[in-house]
Amino acid sequence: MQTNDPIHLLMKEHETISSTVEIVRELEFVWQSNPDEYAKSVKSLITFFKDYSDKFHHHKEEDVLFPALKAHPLFSQKEILDELEEHHEMFRDSVKSIERNIEDKKWAESYESLLDYLDKLLDHIAIEDDELFVIADSLFSKDELERIYFQCQDIDQELGLDYKTSLVNQIKSKNYAS
Ligand SMILES: [Fe+2]
Ligand SMILES: [Fe+2]
């Protein structure tokens, strides 16, 4: 088994991102009884999506994994990478629109956008887990995987490992009230 495995690292991040589904489900209709609490919770989720899902995770894919695949002579499916990068751009726009809905106090709309965003994000994650990562795992040698792993680690370190841990813990504890 690969010790410094970038695919494992990225899949663990996917698990953390996917676990926000439960939190979002529990927020349904909360705006009717407690709009302030709803707004606060969604704002915390927005921070998580911007910083963890996008900065920590999508940038590892865009800056490390995807370029490494593109450079691999046996990788023949560049169109899948274009598609996944387009998704990342779309996700950035979706998060901005959820944020605008919250600022405008359009609670029901914000919730609809949040559900739609998560739905597309989970589909995206499934494509990566079930297709792209399987290809990456089979194409790269042990040494190449290790090099990619350390490049991913560099991104975590640049952005701040303590901050990353605090984002994960926030999701784990669902502690948005504090
Ligand atoms: Fe992705
Ligand atoms: Fe991903």
Side-chain angles (χ1 to χ4, degrees):
M1 194 185 137
Q2 183 84 21
T3 1
N4 294 316
D5 183 358
I7 304 302
H8 179 72
L9 172 72
L10 292 168
M11 285 177 97
K12 290 301 278 184
E13 291 179 352
H14 281 173
E15 277 175 27
T16 303
I17 296 167
S18 304
S19 72
T20 58
V21 171
E22 298 303 320
I23 300 167
V24 170
R25 261 188 214 135
E26 282 173 24
L27 285 173
E28 190 168 21
F29 301 126
V30 168
W31 62 87
Q32 292 178 350
S33 54
N34 195 341
D36 287 346
E37 191 197 314
Y38 174 77
K40 199 173 172 183
S41 301
V42 177
K43 278 180 192 167
S44 295
L45 281 169
I46 288 169
T47 302
F48 176 82
F49 293 134
K50 279 185 172 177
D51 289 351
Y52 188 90
S53 308
D54 198 41
K55 287 198 186 117
F56 281 95
H57 182 75
H58 292 154
H59 282 141
K60 284 192 192 84
E61 294 173 343
E62 288 179 10
D63 298 343
V64 180
L65 182 70
F66 295 178
L69 278 167
K70 271 182 199 158
H72 197 289
L74 295 178
F75 181 71
S76 58
Q77 301 180 52
K78 293 192 174 60
E79 63 287 351
I80 192 178
L81 298 180
D82 294 339
E83 191 193 322
L84 293 168
E85 278 180 4
E86 269 172 39
H87 292 170
H88 291 174
E89 282 301 327
M90 185 180 73
F91 295 146
R92 285 170 193 134
D93 290 341
S94 306
V95 171
K96 278 186 208 148
S97 105
I98 299 165
E99 204 171 19
R100 269 196 304 273
N101 285 329
I102 291 293
E103 278 162 16
D104 298 342
K105 302 189 191 312
K106 292 179 178 166
W107 310 131
E109 275 181 44
S110 73
Y111 195 70
E112 280 302 310
S113 324
L114 196 53
L115 287 182
D116 183 58
Y117 164 75
L118 264 187
D119 199 40
K120 292 190 170 101
L121 189 56
L122 293 185
D123 283 348
H124 175 91
I125 284 174
I127 298 172
E128 291 178 341
D129 283 351
D130 302 341
E131 295 178 41
L132 193 77
F133 292 176
V134 178
I135 297 171
D137 227 5
S138 69
L139 282 183
F140 293 123
S141 67
K142 216 170 173 288
D143 286 352
E144 283 168 328
L145 284 170
E146 188 152 284
R147 188 176 47 82
I148 293 167
Y149 175 82
F150 285 114
Q151 285 175 333
C152 288
Q153 287 286 316
D154 286 346
I155 290 187
D156 279 350
Q157 247 143 27
E158 271 164 37
L159 292 169
L161 271 173
D162 288 348
Y163 183 49
K164 186 183 184 188
T165 307
S166 78
L167 288 165
V168 175
N169 289 341
Q170 195 185 23
I171 288 301
K172 275 190 187 153
S173 66
K174 300 180 188 178
N175 184 15
Y176 289 127
S178 60

